[in-house]
Amino acid sequence: MPYILVQVTDEGVTREQKARIIAGATDLMVEVLGKDPESTFVLIDEVKTDNWGHGGEMVTLRRQRERRGG
Amino acid sequence: MPYILVQVTDEGVTREQKARIIAGATDLMVEVLGKDPESTFVLIDEVKTDNWGHGGEMVTLRRQRERRGG
Amino acid sequence: MPYILVQVTDEGVTREQKARIIAGATDLMVEVLGKDPESTFVLIDEVKTDNWGHGGEMVTLRRQRERRGG
Amino acid sequence: MPYILVQVTDEGVTREQKARIIAGATDLMVEVLGKDPESTFVLIDEVKTDNWGHGGEMVTLRRQRERRGG
Amino acid sequence: MPYILVQVTDEGVTREQKARIIAGATDLMVEVLGKDPESTFVLIDEVKTDNWGHGGEMVTLRRQRERRGG
Amino acid sequence: MPYILVQVTDEGVTREQKARIIAGATDLMVEVLGKDPESTFVLIDEVKTDNWGHGGEMVTLRRQRERRGG
C-alpha cells in the first residue's frame, strides 16, 4: 500500500506527463516491491517557483539568471 | 501537540464538511490521546483529480469509467 | 481515496490507541465525505520529543518544565 | 541535503517575506549543520484558512473572533 | 528539482530494492520532465504495519487475516 | 500557526543542533511573519542515508565516494 508524493515546480506539467508519472511510479512499486496497484496512491504537488527555494533563493530568480546565461 | 494532514481529492468539499473534519479529527486526539485541542492542527489538502493517481491512472479517468458503469 | 497523516509525539502510544485513531479517522472520511474505507490510508508517525519543537524549544524540555510545575 | 517544508496560512505572504523565509531556513542548515545550500530545498505551502484547523475549528472563524475582540 | 517521498510498510525492504526505487523514481523525473538528477531527492519512509491503517484497521491485522486465507 | 518540517540525513545530529534548528526556525516565523511561537511547530525528521536518494543513488554511496575523493 504505497503512498508516493511527487513535488515539482509548477512549470507547465502537462496532463500526459502527469499520466506518465502516475503510471511510472505505480509500476515501480509493482516491479520492485510486488505491490498491488489498487492500493498504490501517487500524488503530484505542483509548487509555484516563488514558493520553492533552492540554494537559498527562489527558483523564480534562479530561472531568470539561467535564462540570462548566468 | 498533534499535526494531522488530510489529503482528499478536490471534488467539492463544502465548508461544513471541512468544519466537521477539523472538529472530528481534533476530538479524536482529545479522546484517544488526551491531547489539548489548542495544540492540535488539522490541515486539509484538496488535490485535483488529475494530480491523484490510483491503480496506476489519474482519478479523473477512474471517475469517468465509474460513471460509464465500468 | 483519502490519505491521513497523524503526527504525534512518541510518548507511549499504545496499540489499542493506534487502532482507535485508525478506525476513528477512517470513519470520519466515510461519514463526512462518503469515502470508501478500502481506499483510505491512515498513517501514524510517532516523533521523538527531542525532534518536536513547540514555542521555540524541544518538547522534551517543555515536558520537564511542566512536570516541575512551571 | 535538507528538505524543509514551511506550511503557513494563506494570509498575504509577500514575495519579500518568501525570499526571507527561503534565505533564513537555508542559512540555518548551513550554520547549524554545515549543509551545502545547493542541496537544500525550502518549500512554502500557503494553506487557506478554511483548510487549517486549530483548537477544533477553522482558522477563518478564530480570526473573526479575534477581530471581534473575543 | 523534484522531491519524491515514497512511503511503504516496513516489511523487509532490502537495500537493493531501495536502490532500485531511488534510481527508478529519479529516472522517471529525468525522462518525463527533463529534470536534473542532481537536484532530485527521493526519500523512502518505511512505516511499521501497526502504524499504517487501511480499511479502518491496522495493516498488521489485515496481513494476519490474509495469511489465514480471509 | 506555522508547521515546519525539517528532513535531514541521519548523520549524527546532536541535541544541541536540534535545539538550534528549532529555535532558529521558530524565530524566522516570528521575525518574518509575526507568528506566535506558541502556535509554531518544528519537526525534525532524521532519515537514514540508505533511504535518501540524490542524483539517482543512495546518499550512503555518495558519501563513500566523496570520502574516497571521487
Side-chain angles (χ1 to χ4, degrees):
Chain A
M1 50 221 54
Y3 165 89
I4 300 173
L5 172 67
V6 177
Q7 291 186 308
V8 292
T9 45
D10 182 12
E11 299 175 281
V13 182
T14 66
R15 252 194 130 203
E16 191 260 341
Q17 288 172 322
K18 291 180 188 178
R20 288 173 64 196
I21 291 169
I22 288 168
T26 305
D27 286 352
L28 194 64
M29 294 299 107
V30 173
E31 286 164 21
V32 177
L33 299 175
K35 298 292 182 182
D36 179 358
E38 277 306 305
S39 55
T40 300
F41 291 168
V42 181
L43 272 74
I44 301 170
D45 182 21
E46 299 168 275
V47 177
K48 286 186 286 181
T49 55
D50 269 16
N51 288 25
W52 194 306
H54 183 192
E57 67 176 348
M58 282 179 184
V59 169
T60 314
L61 300 182
R62 284 176 80 96
R63 295 289 190 246
Q64 288 171 2
R65 218 175 38 237
E66 283 163 17
R67 276 194 290 274
R68 286 197 309 264
Chain B
M1 50 222 56
Y3 166 89
I4 300 173
L5 172 67
V6 177
Q7 290 186 308
V8 292
T9 45
D10 181 12
E11 299 176 279
V13 183
T14 66
R15 250 193 133 205
E16 190 261 340
Q17 288 172 323
K18 290 179 189 179
R20 287 174 63 195
I21 291 169
I22 289 168
T26 305
D27 285 352
L28 195 63
M29 293 299 107
V30 173
E31 286 163 22
V32 177
L33 298 176
K35 297 291 183 182
D36 179 359
E38 277 305 306
S39 56
T40 300
F41 291 169
V42 181
L43 272 74
I44 301 170
D45 182 20
E46 299 168 275
V47 177
K48 287 187 285 182
T49 55
D50 268 17
N51 287 26
W52 194 305
H54 183 192
E57 65 177 349
M58 281 179 185
V59 169
T60 314
L61 300 182
R62 284 175 79 95
R63 294 288 191 246
Q64 289 172 1
R65 218 176 39 237
E66 284 163 16
R67 276 193 290 273
R68 285 197 311 264
Chain C
M1 51 220 54
Y3 166 88
I4 299 174
L5 172 68
V6 177
Q7 290 185 310
V8 292
T9 44
D10 182 11
E11 299 175 279
V13 183
T14 67
R15 251 193 130 205
E16 190 261 340
Q17 287 173 322
K18 290 180 189 179
R20 287 174 65 195
I21 291 169
I22 288 168
T26 305
D27 285 352
L28 194 64
M29 294 298 108
V30 174
E31 285 164 22
V32 177
L33 298 175
K35 297 292 183 184
D36 180 358
E38 276 306 306
S39 55
T40 299
F41 291 169
V42 180
L43 272 73
I44 301 170
D45 182 20
E46 298 169 275
V47 178
K48 286 185 287 182
T49 55
D50 268 16
N51 287 26
W52 194 306
H54 183 193
E57 65 176 350
M58 282 178 183
V59 169
T60 314
L61 300 183
R62 285 176 79 95
R63 293 289 191 249
Q64 289 172 359
R65 219 178 35 239
E66 284 163 17
R67 277 194 290 272
R68 287 198 309 263
Chain D
M1 51 220 57
Y3 166 88
I4 300 173
L5 172 67
V6 177
Q7 290 186 308
V8 291
T9 45
D10 182 12
E11 300 175 279
V13 183
T14 66
R15 254 195 128 204
E16 191 260 341
Q17 287 173 322
K18 291 180 188 177
R20 287 173 63 195
I21 292 169
I22 289 168
T26 305
D27 285 352
L28 195 63
M29 294 298 107
V30 173
E31 286 164 21
V32 177
L33 298 175
K35 298 291 184 182
D36 179 359
E38 277 306 304
S39 56
T40 299
F41 290 169
V42 181
L43 273 74
I44 301 170
D45 183 19
E46 298 168 275
V47 178
K48 287 187 284 182
T49 54
D50 268 15
N51 288 25
W52 195 306
H54 183 193
E57 66 176 350
M58 281 179 185
V59 169
T60 314
L61 300 183
R62 285 175 79 95
R63 294 289 191 247
Q64 288 172 2
R65 218 175 38 238
E66 285 163 16
R67 276 195 290 273
R68 285 198 310 265
Chain E
M1 50 219 56
Y3 166 88
I4 300 174
L5 172 68
V6 177
Q7 290 185 311
V8 292
T9 44
D10 181 13
E11 300 175 279
V13 183
T14 66
R15 251 194 131 203
E16 190 261 340
Q17 287 173 321
K18 291 180 189 179
R20 287 173 64 196
I21 291 169
I22 288 168
T26 305
D27 285 353
L28 194 64
M29 294 298 108
V30 173
E31 286 163 22
V32 177
L33 298 175
K35 297 292 182 184
D36 179 359
E38 277 304 306
S39 54
T40 299
F41 291 169
V42 180
L43 272 73
I44 301 170
D45 182 21
E46 298 167 276
V47 178
K48 285 185 288 183
T49 55
D50 268 15
N51 288 26
W52 194 306
H54 184 193
E57 65 176 351
M58 280 179 185
V59 169
T60 314
L61 300 182
R62 285 175 78 96
R63 294 288 191 248
Q64 289 172 0
R65 219 175 37 238
E66 285 164 16
R67 276 193 291 272
R68 287 196 310 264
Chain F
M1 50 218 57
Y3 165 89
I4 299 174
L5 173 67
V6 177
Q7 290 185 309
V8 291
T9 44
D10 181 12
E11 299 174 280
V13 182
T14 66
R15 250 194 131 205
E16 190 261 341
Q17 287 173 322
K18 291 180 189 179
R20 287 174 64 195
I21 291 169
I22 288 168
T26 305
D27 285 352
L28 195 63
M29 293 298 108
V30 173
E31 285 164 21
V32 177
L33 298 175
K35 298 291 183 184
D36 179 358
E38 276 306 305
S39 54
T40 299
F41 291 169
V42 180
L43 272 73
I44 301 171
D45 182 22
E46 298 168 275
V47 178
K48 284 185 287 182
T49 55
D50 268 15
N51 287 27
W52 194 306
H54 183 193
E57 66 175 351
M58 281 178 184
V59 169
T60 314
L61 300 182
R62 285 175 79 95
R63 294 288 190 249
Q64 289 172 0
R65 220 178 34 241
E66 285 163 17
R67 276 193 290 272
R68 285 197 310 264

